Amino acid sequence: MISSDRTSELNRPINLGDAMLTDALVAALRARGNQAIAADFGEPRHGGGEDRLQLSGPGALLRAMRDFDGIVIGGGTLLQDDARDVPGGWGGLPRLCAASTVIARATRTRVAFYGVGCDPVERFGARALLRLAVKGVPVWVRDAKSASRVSHTLKGNAIVGADASLLMGFDPRGEAADDAPIVVALNGEHARHLKVEHLDELKRSGRRLVFLNMSQGGSFMDASALSKQARAAFDEVTGPLDWDEAFRLIRSAESVWGSRMHALYAAMLSGVPMVALSELPKVVTFAEDFVIPRVDDTSGMADVRPGMADAAALSAAVATADSTLDDLLLAFRGR
């Protein structure tokens, strides 16, 4: 399995959401009787999560193909232009996806995308690579808007599936403890614009306020973008974690407020009320699909109250995740 999960020099996942998705998909593949392992193009990981196959680049992937019957490219918003600092758009996830499918074709290895998101892609180079990546390859996407972008922007064929994290199932928590914290999980851009007054309503609750770093890539963490004043408003800012540690924190929370979509997914799977704080397309789609309270940014925090996901929508999405993963495996077996 290939995903955007990578290990940092701190021996922790660079992105906790990517790590959660990767392990959820690997575990689901193994539960269906397959031998499954995730590739990691980062630093060697010791402990925490599923085992990783350490690869140094496309050449190492090509050599490793001899040992595999199929490649699943899965979890997260893999179909996006994430390397805007690379001239022409020829790097990042578009290059990873294209290289993976080209190598699979060259070695006659079955390949498919599963549970991925597709964001708007404007630059020519990134669009060309992603079109190459999905050409003639089965693509199961997490939502209808991603399917539309695969069809119209990337000229591929997509099947609406579900987010890979839903393969973990739903585990309702029940009542929150009296000392349950409020967890805030923001990406760097939203953290940069967070003001102390945005947090006033949360602080008035008297609960402990915790900032959860979902991105923890070595020297940069989401909290690095906070102003000194905003950072001081939190009772705790998390250090480097494994994703299961972050999941336990979210499960213990009174509520979760975030622009990090997979912190919101973790809250939903744990039965924790949440608020989405973003106008990013993927977060808007998540909030619409599961009827989650949402405002465009942190300035609207005082105007919204946490809410639970729509139970019927969540149950349907979990069932879809299970059935579409079975569909992928049947396709791999030629049935």
Side-chain angles (χ1 to χ4, degrees):
M1 182 192 150
I2 294 171
S3 73
S4 52
D5 178 33
R6 291 187 297 124
T7 302
S8 76
E9 63 273 20
L10 300 176
N11 191 37
R12 292 292 187 275
I14 288 175
N15 184 291
L16 292 174
D18 291 339
M20 178 180 76
L21 290 165
T22 300
D23 282 355
L25 185 46
V26 168
L29 289 167
R30 289 179 179 173
R32 286 161 170 79
N34 302 280
Q35 292 180 321
I37 190 167
D40 190 331
F41 294 94
E43 299 292 325
R45 185 176 299 181
H46 306 287
E50 301 287 351
D51 292 337
R52 297 291 193 268
L53 174 66
Q54 298 300 145
L55 298 175
S56 57
L61 178 60
L62 175 59
R63 292 187 292 273
M65 284 284 187
R66 303 186 189 106
D67 298 325
F68 298 106
D69 298 317
I71 300 294
V72 178
I73 306 171
T77 313
L78 284 164
L79 301 175
Q80 64 162 303
D81 181 8
D82 70 322
R84 298 184 184 278
D85 56 336
V86 177
W90 301 105
L93 290 175
R95 181 174 61 185
L96 172 66
C97 292
S100 300
T101 58
V102 166
I103 290 171
R105 292 187 194 103
T107 57
R108 297 185 178 181
T109 304
R110 294 178 186 258
V111 61
F113 289 84
Y114 178 79
V116 297
C118 181
D119 273 357
V121 181
E122 297 177 356
R123 294 195 301 166
F124 171 80
R127 196 164 59 244
L129 286 173
L130 290 174
R131 284 182 178 179
L132 177 62
V134 303
K135 184 178 180 180
V137 174
V139 181
W140 278 267
V141 292
R142 66 183 175 216
D143 55 68
K145 289 184 178 178
S146 288
S148 177
R149 293 182 188 116
V150 170
S151 174
H152 293 97
T153 304
L154 305 185
K155 309 303 180 184
N157 294 315
I159 305 161
V160 177
D163 191 271
S165 65
L166 294 168
L167 295 166
M168 300 171 66
F170 175 58
D171 183 18
R173 175 194 56 172
E175 293 295 323
D178 291 339
D179 60 348
I182 294 174
V183 173
V184 177
L186 301 175
N187 63 29
E189 185 64 22
H190 289 100
R192 184 174 296 110
H193 293 97
L194 180 68
K195 299 184 184 304
V196 174
E197 53 265 32
H198 298 167
L199 297 169
D200 283 348
E201 192 70 24
L202 304 188
K203 296 291 284 185
R204 274 194 283 272
S205 71
R207 292 184 178 271
R208 191 164 57 95
L209 198 58
V210 178
F211 187 97
L212 171 60
N213 282 292
M214 291 292 288
S215 179
Q216 46 182 28
S219 59
F220 177 80
M221 293 190 172
D222 289 326
S224 301
L226 291 170
S227 68
K228 290 183 179 178
Q229 295 82 0
R231 189 183 183 100
F234 287 93
D235 299 290
E236 179 186 347
V237 175
T238 63
L241 301 173
D242 284 320
W243 76 260
D244 53 343
E245 296 175 297
F247 201 102
R248 284 195 294 273
L249 172 62
I250 289 171
R251 185 169 174 76
S252 75
E254 184 269 342
S255 59
V256 172
W257 301 64
S259 60
R260 284 290 183 186
M261 192 174 72
H262 284 97
L264 298 171
Y265 262 103
M268 181 170 67
L269 293 171
S270 299
V272 174
M274 75 206 82
V275 174
L277 303 169
S278 178
E279 57 182 352
L280 291 171
K282 62 183 179 182
V283 178
V284 172
T285 299
F286 166 83
E288 290 175 349
D289 284 351
F290 296 105
V291 199
I292 302 297
R294 186 190 68 83
V295 290
D296 285 350
D297 53 50
T298 57
S299 65
M301 293 173 75
D303 303 323
V304 66
R305 293 293 178 269
M308 301 285 287
D310 179 80
L314 176 55
S315 295
V318 170
T320 298
D322 285 331
S323 65
T324 53
L325 184 60
D326 289 338
D327 291 341
L328 180 149
L329 293 172
L330 287 173
F332 267 25
R333 292 168 184 144
R335 298 180 187 173

